[in-house]
């Protein structure tokens, strides 16, 4: 899940940063960092990204990796 996918998934589900944070058991600042293009030591840890991604997937979001989306790029879709 890249930052653009994270922002799109949250928007599609109409969830606030604090709601996602509570569901993923992380801080709101952490959710914001996942949605930014921060990489390196101050960026989010893989386990944190997985926790947030799981919240979205449990609510019907499907993540497309490079080449799997209809146009060949990364993306998200809501199953419901």
């Amino acid at each position: 899940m890249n930052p653009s996918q994270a922002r799109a998934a949250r928007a599609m589900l109409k969830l606030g940063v604090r709601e996602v944070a509570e569901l993923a058991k992380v801080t709101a600042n952490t959710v914001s960092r996942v949605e930014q293009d921060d990489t390196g030591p101050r960026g989010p840890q893989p386990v944190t990204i997985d926790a947030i991604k799981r919240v979205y997937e449990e609510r019907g979001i499907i993540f497309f990796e490079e080449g799997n989306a209809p146009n060949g790029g990364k993306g998200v879709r809501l199953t419901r």
Side-chain angles (χ1 to χ4, degrees), residues 17-44:
V17 171
R18 289 187 178 126
E19 291 173 281
V20 173
E22 185 176 316
L23 293 166
K25 297 180 179 22
V26 298
T27 67
N29 286 341
T30 299
V31 174
S32 294
R33 276 200 311 274
V34 167
E35 292 183 359
Q36 296 170 1
D37 290 327
D38 274 349
T39 57
R42 292 190 49 87

Side-chain angles (χ1 to χ4, degrees), residues 2-75:
N2 67 26
S4 296
Q5 288 174 306
R7 289 189 302 270
R10 187 169 62 79
M12 291 175 91
L13 294 171
K14 298 178 181 165
L15 293 173
V17 171
R18 289 187 178 126
E19 291 173 281
V20 173
E22 185 176 316
L23 293 166
K25 297 180 179 22
V26 298
T27 67
N29 286 341
T30 299
V31 174
S32 294
R33 276 200 311 274
V34 167
E35 292 183 359
Q36 296 170 1
D37 290 327
D38 274 349
T39 57
R42 292 190 49 87
Q45 298 297 309
V47 68
T48 303
I49 295 170
D50 288 342
I52 294 169
K53 183 177 180 183
R54 197 168 26 258
V55 166
Y56 297 144
E57 289 174 332
E58 288 171 355
R59 283 155 183 77
I61 294 290
I62 296 173
F63 291 90
F64 293 101
E65 295 305 318
E66 201 71 41
N68 293 335
N71 68 354
K74 291 186 177 193

